[in-house]
Amino acid sequence: MAEVSVDGEEVVFEGEAPKDIGQVFELLMVAMSERGRALVSFAVDGTDIMSKTDGEELPTTFEKIEASTLTHSELTLQLVERVEEETESLDEELVAYSRKLLLLGWSEIFQRMDEFVNKIKPLADLLDNLDPFAKTYDPPWRSDFENLQKRQANALEEILSCFQIGDGAGLSDVVKEELHPVLTDFRKLSSLKMKPYLRKNMEQVVE
């Protein structure tokens, strides 16, 4: 008989248990979301299908499904800390880049555009990914966070405009005077308000 468990506890379905893996996944995802939790792994007969890449064939039958979850606060804290680690040297890199822009020719600046985008992408993605949490739970730091979102969006819009018109000096100013302060202020917000709030939520769940 097929088994389904979440965080080590057996799942008891009302009526007959679904045999379709996708249906099991959807049911668990909805049920966990209602409890403020998110699926982080979904192992079908020992293989976590959440780690599979697009295009990989998924199993159609199963004997055992083992899912694990985290609270939304735990997941958000992990995300914040991971991105902070990934962008640990970004402060210095942005300052250095803003100076370099004044020395390089435009053709070289344009050729390095992808390199620059890849450096700032983790932070931009993080702010996008934190948006649902802020809107759902309305944490005390929400207004500060949304202000950072707007400032980042404005900075990225100006950066794109500079690339489009070939304005190296303007790009240097935006990176130094607008984008870099967003990163600095995010680190302060994360350290002083976001992470303490998330850790407090996690402690309350444990209690």
Side-chain angles (χ1 to χ4, degrees):
M1 184 178 176
E3 299 177 23
V4 178
S5 65
V6 175
D7 296 331
E9 295 186 11
E10 182 181 359
V11 176
V12 179
F13 294 93
E14 292 184 6
E16 186 178 355
K19 295 181 174 59
D20 180 75
I21 292 173
Q23 188 179 0
V24 174
F25 183 86
E26 290 293 331
L27 287 171
L28 293 185
M29 185 171 64
V30 171
M32 292 302 105
S33 179
E34 291 173 350
R35 300 180 187 180
R37 305 187 71 87
L39 289 177
V40 293
S41 71
F42 190 82
V44 179
D45 297 328
T47 301
D48 186 3
I49 66 172
M50 292 183 70
S51 63
K52 284 182 174 290
T53 58
D54 292 341
E56 281 192 73
E57 189 174 341
L58 300 177
T60 55
T61 61
F62 68 93
E63 292 183 6
K64 189 173 187 178
I65 290 177
E66 296 172 290
S68 59
T69 70
L70 291 174
T71 66
H72 292 163
S73 291
E74 289 173 316
L75 192 60
T76 301
L77 180 62
Q78 283 189 6
L79 177 64
V80 169
E81 290 181 334
R82 187 181 76 242
V83 173
E84 285 182 333
E85 186 176 338
E86 289 175 0
T87 59
E88 189 174 5
S89 61
L90 187 57
D91 296 81
E92 295 81 4
E93 290 174 351
L94 287 179
V95 172
Y97 184 72
S98 68
R99 293 171 181 161
K100 192 181 296 184
L101 286 168
L102 300 175
L103 304 174
L104 297 175
W106 181 252
S107 60
E108 190 171 355
I109 292 173
F110 191 78
Q111 288 172 1
R112 296 187 179 185
M113 181 174 66
D114 287 345
E115 179 184 342
F116 170 69
V117 169
N118 288 334
K119 286 183 184 299
I120 64 174
K121 190 174 185 299
L123 178 64
D125 288 346
L126 174 62
L127 294 186
D128 285 342
N129 290 330
L130 288 175
D131 188 62
F133 183 94
K135 283 183 168 59
T136 301
Y137 293 99
D138 193 23
W141 40 264
R142 178 178 173 178
S143 61
D144 292 332
F145 168 74
E146 290 179 342
N147 178 258
L148 275 179
Q149 278 186 306
K150 291 176 184 176
R151 288 169 55 197
Q152 178 193 244
N154 291 337
L156 295 180
E157 199 171 302
E158 290 188 42
I159 286 170
L160 178 59
S161 176
C162 289
F163 271 114
Q164 289 174 335
I165 63 176
D167 183 2
L171 182 58
S172 173
D173 285 343
V174 176
V175 170
K176 182 181 179 182
E177 303 297 335
E178 297 185 40
L179 189 61
H180 182 251
V182 167
L183 174 64
T184 303
D185 290 345
F186 172 76
R187 293 202 194 286
K188 290 178 183 176
L189 179 63
S190 172
S191 175
L192 297 176
K193 296 183 179 180
M194 293 174 65
K195 289 193 288 190
Y197 168 85
L198 294 168
R199 290 190 178 110
K200 184 177 180 180
N201 278 5
M202 290 163 57
E203 290 170 1
Q204 290 173 343
V205 170
V206 172
E207 291 173 1

